């Protein structure tokens, strides 16, 4: 028997088994329990080592803002706001939720553009926003110093809540539908058998569970490691001050955000609370968080917080004229990219993660609980969640040195400018290509993806190798244009070593891959197949190439950022089958030689025949290059004749040097990832995670040509067959913005005849078109067809301004795809 306390939780006694076990009774764990029971999954047990909310939740400021950096994060936050509004009526537990609104201010033109772009994105998520002048800003916030401001955005329905009361309401709702909530019992370790979770070991014995959800806040990394699951997050110190009561402070003030000053300010019972996102944060307890750290606080540190407090005083002078009741410092879990983790751990089946909330856990809790509960109940997420998916994490990110450096940067970036193409400054040089030094010496300016240093652009003679950020054409604009021009007219050389690469071998390799790939990979040796891996709904889980390298051997190549996820997908498909998968990512360098002169250049270095007959498009051969054996695969992401050369690590530099040496006679230019992005956008090639995700099918994405419907079976076939019979009501469309001065990035609203019909999934400048290009899905019940596009007027909204756009189902560059077969 268990003993119940006032909130209906239990203080002792744990069940022997449960269907879903949640570790952690903060707002996230309680929201997951609440939503699981709402979905009808009622055999749910939540285990909390202390008391509910005792981790980070109890001391949160309780801001519930709706507008986030991307569309999917905004959808989750807006769901939370709606839920918190209704929770009290449902559970009878007061939550303290109210909607005083919020005001974000900008003190310079670039910040103003960021805010305006955000306001445009808000339209795609149904978040009401109002651009207000400074008089109105002062009217809403009389203590605001507007002297140096250029504009302000008001979001009338932004909220504030009591984190503790809201958590208790969620727990109450969960318990009313059957969830058990056990307090005062710690989970000591997780239990897994043969890559599957089987339960947990607690201080009071073992609990068997089919599914375990880690909602353990700053403790999650340590706990997950007990079964080899990687959750790279780290506790950081996080500060706010609370003033003495200030008579001039009106009740119900909107939350004030001054991102340029790293500060937010809210009213609380006639006092002001000001919180900070300082540029360099303090990592706390790298080696792990003690189990008994309940309702804990950390020491004040005025030396650290003083400079940002001064900026807060500049924006709200009253903060400097009153007494302070409290400088609060408490730990919160931050992640390397500032976005939380949700979803199934790639390493162990049945283990889910919801952790690392980067100081937005209260406002994200409703949405995170909703989508995670659906994910567990349905075994797939209810929407594209690639941005928050735990399968974007990499093992190296779990290392102490990496976390120490990166996390102190990532906290500050939450309020920093979200510049397009912004690069991290910390924890760099984790993974280097064998030609790293060579390209660095040649002027490469690097960006980081999956820990790899990748050349984004090559500085021209005398140009400083730094980014000068803006929302317009940045300082690499000309340099990248030169690179694109070379690829379109001569030849470009890309270091693509960061590609994730897997060798798949064994007696069942053909069978397994035929089941996973939507395209046929049971092809003759030496064929390179572009394919998607689909889920049962036909949604695209992965977008990659599979080359048959032997009777029972395949080489799988995918984007660097998708490495963990795609490997996990493949491993699951191979379980219990006679297949070995080897991660060859760090054994093999990849160089892309792309452009109409690629053949003439490569033929100077190899004895192999390279003409169309001897080496057709979408084939792969072992050839000699400068005396070294490499695998050459004739594919392109740039939309030109070209080869990807896969060179063994130890010979990579020699091969690269030989290409560089032969290059000048052929107009060779080193080229980077910004150029690649332009080129692929011109050629209409999709980018997984942006233009194609697990909620988009190949038919919707215009990739039906890569689906082998004649195969008797592959995952997703039935769904795709059904969809094939229906009008194409949702379709990826390409756009050209008819204003040569504006750039597109992503999530801009698309309007048809003045009405909102979609949003861009990615955007990039095209040097061929002299305009920005974008992609985005459109929906139309009778089908998104050329004819429908022809009779429509399209606009794309950029920073609240509507700009005419041209739509096309085919790529703007080489729509007939003739150049890749030159
Ligand atoms: C100063 C500050 C201000 C903030 N302001 C805001 C705000 O205004 N808006 C906002 O949205 N967010 C805010 N946050 C962030 C927010 O508080 C967190 O993101 C959120 O509380 C995280 O909730 P959680 O459930 O993930 O973690 P926690 O609340 O820490 O819950 C995790 C729980 O797991 C338990 N646990 C861990 N390990 C075990 C184990 N082995 N066995 C059993 N139990 C275990 C812990 O005891 C803990 O109770 C703020 C944070 C700070 C520090």
């Amino acid at each position: 028997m268990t003993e119940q306390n006032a909130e209906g939780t239990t203080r002792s006694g744990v069940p022997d088994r449960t269907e879903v076990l949640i570790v952690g009774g903060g707002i996230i764990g309680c929201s997951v329990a609440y939503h699981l029971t709402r979905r009808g999954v009622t055999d749910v047990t939540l285990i909390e080592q202390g008391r509910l909310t005792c981790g980070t939740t109890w001391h949160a400021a309780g801001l519930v803002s709706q507008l986030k950096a991307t569309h999917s994060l905004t959808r989750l936050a807006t769901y939370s706001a709606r839920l918190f509004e209704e929770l009290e009526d449902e559970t009878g537990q007061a939550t303290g939720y109210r909607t005083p609104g919020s005001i974000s201010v900008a003190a310079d033109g670039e910040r103003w553009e960021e805010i305006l772009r955000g306001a445009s994105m808000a339209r795609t998520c149904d978040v009401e926003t109002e651009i207000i002048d400074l008089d109105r800003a002062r009217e809403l916030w009389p203590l605001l110093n507007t002297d140096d401001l250029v504009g302000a955005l008001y979001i009338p329905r932004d909220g504030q809540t009591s984190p503790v009361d809201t958590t208790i309401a969620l727990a109450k709702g969960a318990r009313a539908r059957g969830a058990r909530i056990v307090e005062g019992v710690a989970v000591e370790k997780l239990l897994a058998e043969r890559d599957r979770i089987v339960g947990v070991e607690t201080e009071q014995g073992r609990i068997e569970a089919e599914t375990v959800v880690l909602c353990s806040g700053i403790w999650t990394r340590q706990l997950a490691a007990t079964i080899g699951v990687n959750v790279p997050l780290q506790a950081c110190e996080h500060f706010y001050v609370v003033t003495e009561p200030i008579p001039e402070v009106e009740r119900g003030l909107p939350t004030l955000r001054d991102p340029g000053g790293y500060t937010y300010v809210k009213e609380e019972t006639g006092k002001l609370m000001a919180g900070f996102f300082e540029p360099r944060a303090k990592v706390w307890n790298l080696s792990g968080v003690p189990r008994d750290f309940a309702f804990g606080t950390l020491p004040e540190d005025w030396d650290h917080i003083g400079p940002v407090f001064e900026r807060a005083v500049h924006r709200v002078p009253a903060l400097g004229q009153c007494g302070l009741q409290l400088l609060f410092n408490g730990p919160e879990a931050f992640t390397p990219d500032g976005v939380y983790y949700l979803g199934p751990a790639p390493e162990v089946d049945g283990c889910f993660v919801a952790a690392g909330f980067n100081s937005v856990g209260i406002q994200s809790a409703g949405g995170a609980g909703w989508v995670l509960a659906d994910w567990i109940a349905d075994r797939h997420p209810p929407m594209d969640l690639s941005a928050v998916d735990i399968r974007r994490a990499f093992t190296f990110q779990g290392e102490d040195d990496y976390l120490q450096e990166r996390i102190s940067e990532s906290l500050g970036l939450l309020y920093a400018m979200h510049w397009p193409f912004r690069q991290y400054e910390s924890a760099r040089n984790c993974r280097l290509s064998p030609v790293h030094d060579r390209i660095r010496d040649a002027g490469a300016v690097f960006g980081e993806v999956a820990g790899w240093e990748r050349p984004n652009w090559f500085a021209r003679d005398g140009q400083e190798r730094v980014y000068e950020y803006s929302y317009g054409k940045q300082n690499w604009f000309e340099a990248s244009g030169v690179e694109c021009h070379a690829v379109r007219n001569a030849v470009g050389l890309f270091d693509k070593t960061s590609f994730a690469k897997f060798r798949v071998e064994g007696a069942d390799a053909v069978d397994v891959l035929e089941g996973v790939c939507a395209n046929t990979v049971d092809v003759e040796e030496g064929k390179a197949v572009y394919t998607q891996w689909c889920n049962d709904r036909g949604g695209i889980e992965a977008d990659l190439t599979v080359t048959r390298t032997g009777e029972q051997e395949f080489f799988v190549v995918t984007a660097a950022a998708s490495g963990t996820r795609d490997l996990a997908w493949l491993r699951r498909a191979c379980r219990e089958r006679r297949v070995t998968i080897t991660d060859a990512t760090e054994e093999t360098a990849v160089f892309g030689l792309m452009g109409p002169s690629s053949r003439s250049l490569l033929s100077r270095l190899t004895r192999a025949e390279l003409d169309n007959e001897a080496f057709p498009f979408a084939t792969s051969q072992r050839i000699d290059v400068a005396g070294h054996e490499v695998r050459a695969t004739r594919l392109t992401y740039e939309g030109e004749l070209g080869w990807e050369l896969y060179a063994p690590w130890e010979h990579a530099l020699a091969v690269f040097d030989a290409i560089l040496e032969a290059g000048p006679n052929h107009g060779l230019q080193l080229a980077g990832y910004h150029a690649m992005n332009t080129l692929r956008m011109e050629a209409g090639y999709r980018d997984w995670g942006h233009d194609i995700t697990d909620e988009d099918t190949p038919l919707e994405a215009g990739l039906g040509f890569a689906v082998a419907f004649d195969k008797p079976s592959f995952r997703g076939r039935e769904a795709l067959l059904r969809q094939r019979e229906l009008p194409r009501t949702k379709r990826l469309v390409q756009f050209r913005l008819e204003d040569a001065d504006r750039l597109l990035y992503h999530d801009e609203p698309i309007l048809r005849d003045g009405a909102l019909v979609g949003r861009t999934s990615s955007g990039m400048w095209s040097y061929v078109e002299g305009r920005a290009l974008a992609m985005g899905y459109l929906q139309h019940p009778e089908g998104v067809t050329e004819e429908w596009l022809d009779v429509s007027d399209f606009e794309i909204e950029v920073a609240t301004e509507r700009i005419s756009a041209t739509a096309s189902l085919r790529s703007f560059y080489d729509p007939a795809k003739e150049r890749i077969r030159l």
Side-chain angles (χ1 to χ4, degrees):
M1 282 295 289
T2 55
E3 174 202 329
Q4 288 188 359
N5 72 11
E7 288 98 39
T9 59
T10 61
R11 289 286 162 69
S12 62
V14 294
D16 297 335
R17 75 160 308 285
T18 185
E19 187 180 337
V20 182
L21 188 135
I22 298 167
V23 189
I27 194 162
I28 301 299
C30 291
S31 180
V32 173
Y34 171 89
H35 285 90
L36 277 169
T37 56
R38 234 167 70 159
R39 277 296 313 263
V41 182
T42 52
D43 184 5
V44 173
T45 305
L46 184 153
I47 303 277
E48 164 55 50
Q49 63 191 359
R51 299 274 308 276
L52 294 186
T53 76
C54 74
T56 296
T57 297
W58 69 277
H59 55 58
L63 310 185
V64 182
S65 65
Q66 300 170 81
L67 196 53
K68 306 272 118 204
T70 65
H71 184 266
S72 55
L73 292 174
T74 304
R75 263 184 83 184
L76 299 190
T78 49
Y79 172 87
S80 295
R82 279 203 311 279
L83 175 73
F84 295 167
E85 251 170 16
E86 297 159 5
L87 208 50
E88 183 170 342
D89 282 349
E90 182 205 326
T91 62
Q93 163 70 46
T95 58
Y97 187 70
R98 57 200 178 97
T99 50
S102 77
I103 299 175
S104 294
V105 298
D108 59 64
E110 296 286 13
R111 180 69 76 175
W112 187 226
E113 169 137 12
E114 179 182 78
I115 286 181
L116 291 178
R117 282 181 178 259
S120 282
M121 188 195 67
R123 282 163 49 74
T124 71
C125 314
D126 243 355
V127 175
E128 183 191 343
T129 62
E130 220 179 285
I131 292 159
I132 54 175
D133 62 25
L134 298 181
D135 288 342
R136 174 84 174 121
R138 271 192 305 275
E139 200 179 294
L140 288 165
W141 234 94
L143 300 176
L144 177 66
N145 171 14
T146 56
D147 288 354
D148 54 346
L149 292 182
V150 294
L153 182 77
Y154 178 44
I155 306 185
R157 301 293 302 164
D158 266 3
Q160 294 176 8
T161 200
S162 156
V164 171
D165 293 341
T166 308
T167 306
I168 299 303
L170 289 165
K172 197 171 171 195
R175 193 167 189 291
R177 285 187 289 266
R180 291 181 208 92
I181 296 181
V182 181
E183 290 178 286
V185 175
V187 169
E188 290 177 325
K189 61 177 180 177
L190 308 176
L191 303 171
E193 285 170 14
R194 288 195 298 165
D195 298 333
R196 175 143 204 99
I197 200 104
V198 292
V200 301
E201 193 67 53
T202 76
E203 292 166 326
Q204 295 189 12
R206 181 183 169 117
I207 310 175
E208 285 172 16
E210 283 156 41
T211 302
V212 173
V213 193
L214 306 182
C215 304
S216 324
I218 53 179
W219 290 265
T220 309
R221 178 160 63 101
Q222 287 162 272
L223 186 61
T226 60
I227 49 166
V229 166
N230 176 39
V231 186
L233 57 76
Q234 174 54 41
C236 236
E237 302 188 24
H238 197 33
F239 299 85
Y240 56 71
V241 295
V242 182
T243 67
E244 301 281 356
I246 303 175
E248 297 79 26
V249 167
E250 292 169 15
R251 299 296 169 107
L253 278 179
T255 301
L256 174 69
R257 269 193 202 83
D258 178 16
Y262 316 110
T263 305
Y264 64 85
V265 188
K266 76 165 202 173
E267 177 273 329
E268 197 161 273
T269 56
K271 308 167 195 167
L272 291 180
M273 173 195 269
F276 311 107
F277 287 84
E278 68 278 18
R280 281 277 149 200
K282 287 175 74 184
V283 162
W284 180 70
N285 267 18
L286 198 60
S287 53
V289 182
R291 189 171 290 173
D292 57 3
F293 185 82
F295 297 109
T297 61
L298 305 177
E300 291 185 356
D301 186 347
W302 272 109
D303 287 345
H304 179 71
I305 222 62
V308 271
F309 181 68
E310 274 172 32
R311 303 194 57 158
V313 170
H314 168 74
R315 186 59 58 221
V316 181
L319 284 170
Q321 293 153 9
C322 61
L324 295 182
Q325 258 181 5
L326 174 70
L327 167 57
F328 182 85
N329 179 10
E332 159 70 331
F334 290 87
T335 63
D337 61 4
V339 181
Y340 46 88
Y341 295 127
L342 290 184
E347 301 89 345
V348 176
D349 285 358
C351 179
F352 282 76
V353 177
F357 276 86
N358 298 289
S359 201
V360 292
I362 307 303
Q363 55 200 260
S364 310
W370 152 48
V371 294
L372 199 71
D374 278 8
W375 208 331
I376 292 166
D378 301 330
R379 296 285 148 184
H380 64 80
M383 56 185 264
D384 164 36
L385 292 171
S386 47
V388 291
D389 197 314
I390 178 69
R391 291 171 293 174
R392 74 185 188 279
F394 290 87
T395 320
F396 75 90
Q397 294 177 310
E399 287 165 16
D400 285 357
D401 290 353
Y402 175 87
L403 288 168
Q404 168 73 47
E405 267 195 62
R406 173 57 61 84
I407 298 298
S408 53
E409 180 184 10
S410 67
L411 183 150
L413 291 181
L414 295 166
Y415 267 35
M417 283 292 297
H418 295 94
W419 293 118
F421 310 104
R422 181 165 192 142
Q423 305 299 324
Y424 290 102
E425 287 168 11
S426 64
R428 298 292 298 263
N429 295 318
C430 294
R431 298 169 94 185
L432 301 181
S433 137
V435 301
H436 176 85
D437 291 357
R438 191 67 86 244
I439 55 180
R440 182 200 57 209
D441 294 347
V445 183
F446 293 95
E448 184 251 284
V449 170
W452 289 100
E453 292 297 321
R454 314 194 309 178
N456 277 346
W457 54 284
F458 286 83
R460 313 293 303 157
D461 293 341
Q463 188 176 7
E464 237 195 302
R465 297 174 187 197
V466 291
Y467 274 87
E468 288 166 21
Y469 297 118
S470 79
Y471 275 96
K473 293 168 186 163
Q474 299 186 1
N475 62 325
W476 48 266
F477 184 82
E478 301 296 336
S480 197
V482 171
E483 295 164 29
C484 290
H485 187 265
V487 175
R488 291 277 177 251
N489 299 287
V491 56
L493 176 59
F494 297 86
D495 178 16
K496 302 184 176 184
T497 299
S498 63
F499 277 171
K501 311 150 207 117
F502 315 121
R503 276 201 308 279
V504 184
E505 298 156 280
D508 292 338
V510 177
D511 199 38
V512 167
L513 284 172
E514 277 288 273
V516 169
C517 297
N519 210 343
T520 305
V521 293
D522 188 5
V523 288
E524 65 197 60
E525 202 179 312
K527 282 287 285 174
V529 178
Y530 171 57
T531 186
Q532 283 76 47
W533 293 350
C534 294
N535 55 41
D536 296 331
R537 290 151 290 130
I540 301 171
E541 294 284 342
D543 178 67
L544 33 72
T545 58
V546 178
T547 301
R548 189 164 201 170
T549 51
E551 177 62 23
Q552 300 183 344
E553 264 178 45
F554 294 84
F555 195 58
V556 175
V557 178
T558 188
S562 307
T564 306
R565 178 191 173 101
D566 294 355
L567 185 57
W569 189 264
L570 189 59
R571 282 208 170 117
R572 265 174 204 161
C574 291
R575 211 162 277 161
E576 316 282 326
R577 305 298 302 269
R578 292 167 300 167
V579 180
T580 320
I581 307 168
T582 313
D583 186 345
T585 305
E586 295 188 14
E587 292 170 8
T588 318
V590 190
F591 307 129
L593 202 53
M594 297 292 155
S597 303
S598 56
R599 182 180 284 125
S600 59
L601 170 51
L602 190 55
S603 57
R604 295 295 304 264
L605 302 169
T606 181
R607 285 166 297 174
E609 295 290 333
L610 300 176
D611 59 78
N612 271 328
E613 205 171 317
F615 209 140
F617 181 70
T619 62
S620 179
Q621 296 178 24
R622 289 196 171 282
I623 65 170
D624 65 297
V625 175
H628 300 284
E629 191 180 84
V630 305
R631 172 166 288 286
T633 302
R634 193 173 156 195
L635 284 177
T636 178
Y637 192 49
E638 292 77 7
E640 295 293 344
L641 171 73
W643 279 265
E644 277 167 359
L645 304 174
Y646 293 81
W649 209 258
E650 59 277 19
H651 302 312
L653 187 58
V655 169
F656 194 77
D657 280 347
I659 300 171
L660 282 184
E661 203 180 317
N665 290 338
H666 303 265
L668 181 76
Q669 168 73 48
L670 282 165
Y673 275 78
H674 292 337
M676 195 192 299
N677 198 11
T678 285
L679 297 163
R680 72 97 189 166
M681 187 67 104
E682 289 175 344
Y685 294 137
R686 283 70 169 133
D687 181 19
W688 192 90
H690 293 106
D691 314 310
I692 44 178
T693 69
D694 61 2
E695 64 177 4
D696 313 309
T697 70
L699 295 173
E700 293 163 345
L703 300 174
F705 67 88
V707 179
F709 282 107
D710 52 346
K711 278 204 302 188
S713 86
F714 62 86
R715 193 157 178 195
R717 182 171 182 268
E718 284 68 33
L720 292 172
L721 274 174
R722 279 194 301 276
Q723 193 178 50
R724 192 171 64 157
E725 301 311 315
L726 302 170
R728 198 70 58 248
T729 53
K730 170 185 166 194
R731 202 153 170 184
L732 190 69
V733 175
Q734 291 158 72
F735 293 93
R736 185 181 62 216
L737 194 71
E738 301 305 346
D739 175 342
D741 290 327
R742 304 309 293 264
L743 276 78
L744 296 171
Y745 299 107
H746 58 81
D747 287 336
E748 290 96 359
I750 303 170
L751 301 109
R752 176 184 178 266
D753 299 342
L756 183 72
V757 285
R759 68 194 148 86
T760 59
S761 52
S762 61
M764 192 69 184
W765 182 262
S766 163
Y767 298 88
V768 169
E769 298 293 324
R771 302 272 190 281
L773 300 183
M775 297 188 193
Y777 285 93
L778 297 185
Q779 311 224 10
H780 180 51
E782 279 128 55
V784 178
T785 58
E786 274 310 345
E787 299 74 50
W788 182 71
L789 295 182
D790 285 349
V791 298
S792 310
D793 279 330
F794 287 100
E795 291 166 306
I796 296 181
E797 188 178 304
V798 182
T800 70
E801 194 189 325
R802 291 176 180 191
I803 298 168
S804 172
T806 303
S808 171
L809 286 179
R810 307 210 307 162
S811 62
F812 286 97
Y813 182 74
D814 189 23
K817 298 281 169 280
E818 285 163 359
R819 295 183 63 86
I820 62 178
R821 293 170 197 276
L822 281 183

